[in-house]
Amino acid sequence: MSTSPEFRENGSAGQQLAVRQDHYCFGCGRQNPHGLKLTFFANDAGEVWTDWHPVRENEGFTGMAHGGMISTVLDEVMGWAVYHQKIWAVTGKLSVSFRKPVAIGEPTRATARITEEHGRKLKLTADLRRISDGQLLAEAESIFIKVPQQRAEEWQARYFDPEAAPQI
């Protein structure tokens, strides 16, 4: 697995998550011809990030990424922050604040972290920043709900690549 370039905000490089490539997930699946094909990295603090370069197909108003696409990227990175901790859960609530327009073609980085865990509920935060200067573009808060153990085991087998390098 490859190592992500240094992130200007936290200065930490990380290990690529061992995500299987053979599925149609809109966010991370490589087989979905319309998907984002995001790649995820994690650091020792448990944060997970992905770089996203919005393309014209992600456009809302002319030259700007659609808010739904931004929300999707933030939701996806929060999901992988959960899964990186070997917890399988689904989004129960997502709240996004859009701070600045996200320009088409402008490299961005979404970073997520778990902030609280209470029984089956997990609270997370995420932010989307312009890579060139660290400018905050959007931020999100969410609640994820843990799935039953049998489903968690099925998803672990389906989405993590056992042949890949170990996670940090």
Side-chain angles (χ1 to χ4, degrees), residues 2 12 48 82 138:
S2 61
S12 61
V48 170
V82 171

Side-chain angles (χ1 to χ4, degrees), residues 49-141:
W49 70 87
T50 187
D51 289 348
W52 176 51
H53 302 240
V55 295
R56 188 170 183 198
E57 291 78 9
N58 304 146
E59 191 171 73
F61 289 110
T62 303
M64 295 170 40
H66 191 283
M69 299 304 292
I70 295 165
S71 298
T72 299
V73 171
L74 291 167
D75 182 52
E76 190 76 6
V77 75
M78 286 189 282
W80 283 103
V82 171
Y83 313 144
H84 176 60
Q85 300 301 322
K86 298 189 191 250
I87 300 169
W88 290 89
V90 294
T91 310
K93 182 178 181 180
L94 175 65
S95 176
V96 179
S97 297
F98 303 97
R99 301 297 182 195
K100 300 278 184 189
V102 177
I104 296 301
E106 183 171 67
T108 65
R109 179 164 294 172
T111 305
R113 67 220 45 87
I114 298 171
T115 58
E116 296 179 40
E117 184 175 352
H118 301 284
R120 291 185 58 216
K121 289 184 180 181
L122 299 140
K123 290 186 179 183
L124 289 94
T125 60
D127 55 72
L128 182 72
R129 294 179 181 273
R130 190 169 38 229
I131 289 177
S132 65
D133 62 3
Q135 173 68 53
L136 178 64
L137 303 171
E139 55 192 343
E141 295 180 345

Side-chain angles (χ1 to χ4, degrees), residues 134-156:
Q135 173 68 53
L136 178 64
L137 303 171
E139 55 192 343
E141 295 180 345
S142 70
I143 296 175
F144 274 63
I145 308 297
K146 295 178 187 177
V147 300
Q149 185 62 32
Q150 181 178 351
R151 176 63 50 94
E153 291 170 4
E154 292 168 1
W155 287 354
Q156 178 75 21

